[in-house]
Amino acid sequence: MSKDNDVDHKLKVDIYVPLNTCACIWERFMNSVFSAFQDYKKKIKFQTKNLDSEEARKLNLRGNSVVVEGKVIFTSPFLFKQKLPELLKEKGII
């Protein structure tokens, strides 16, 4: 399988936090999100993005958020962890 196909067959996850503030503000959220997808890390392509960005405003994000496939928004790492297996199954990854 080529690298492009491999990336296409991963769940795309964007993690939005206020990168222009002290990491102490969002570090716990990031750790919780990473913990949530630890069991599936080879099946996920993630990016950390700035909550204070045009992209975040378009998504109407108000706080730390996880955005899956550009449309499913979670503000709780716990709920993200609960739904993750279902999201991976919907995309045919597991």
Side-chain angles (χ1 to χ4, degrees):
M1 183 182 292
S2 76
K3 268 222 181 283
D4 288 339
N5 287 340
D6 191 40
V7 170
D8 288 342
H9 202 63
K10 289 187 176 189
L11 193 68
K12 291 171 187 67
V13 175
D14 296 322
I15 306 163
Y16 286 87
V17 292
L19 295 175
N20 52 345
T21 64
C22 175
C24 60
I25 306 250
W26 44 265
E27 177 181 34
R28 186 172 176 188
F29 181 82
M30 288 290 288
N31 288 339
S32 295
V33 172
F34 288 143
S35 173
F37 65 65
Q38 189 63 33
D39 292 342
Y40 305 102
K41 63 185 173 191
K42 292 184 179 181
K43 298 174 185 321
I44 294 173
K45 178 177 179 2
F46 75 91
Q47 285 188 299
T48 303
K49 297 185 175 184
N50 195 349
L51 183 61
D52 186 28
S53 67
E54 186 61 33
E55 190 176 0
R57 281 188 281 283
K58 286 180 182 175
L59 291 167
N60 203 27
L61 303 179
R62 302 273 186 238
N64 296 339
S65 303
V66 178
V67 180
V68 179
E69 296 291 321
K71 57 188 174 207
V72 182
I73 300 170
F74 296 93
T75 56
S76 161
F78 177 75
L79 291 175
F80 171 65
K81 184 175 185 172
Q82 279 188 315
K83 290 287 188 179
L84 186 55
E86 181 182 321
L87 293 164
L88 289 162
K89 285 177 188 172
E90 283 176 13
K91 189 159 181 191
I93 298 172
I94 60 170

